[in-house]
Amino acid sequence: MAKKTVASLQTSSKRLSKAIKMVKSPKSGAYTFVETIIAPEKVNDFLAKK
């Protein structure tokens, strides 16, 4: 079960994207969300990494 959301953010100097990834905790089994704001070219790398 994976969820990915990518929202485009436009700033005055640089174009950025906010990526949200759902990660399952190995200890409790609960899901948490990891958010980051990165360049659009690096979004797939962030989502592919565990």
Side-chain angles (χ1 to χ4, degrees), residues 2-7 18-22 33 43-44 47-48:
K3 177 182 181 180
K4 65 179 181 179
T5 304
V6 178
K18 179 177 182 180
I20 303 170
K21 180 168 56 170
M22 196 160 108
F33 293 96
V43 169
N44 287 335
L47 295 174

Side-chain angles (χ1 to χ4, degrees), residues 5-11 14-20 34-44 46-47:
T5 304
V6 178
S8 295
L9 303 172
Q10 189 80 23
T11 62
K14 206 181 222 187
R15 185 173 169 182
L16 299 172
S17 293
K18 179 177 182 180
I20 303 170
V34 178
E35 297 182 22
T36 187
I37 297 176
I38 52 177
E41 301 83 34
K42 298 182 181 181
V43 169
N44 287 335
F46 170 73
L47 295 174

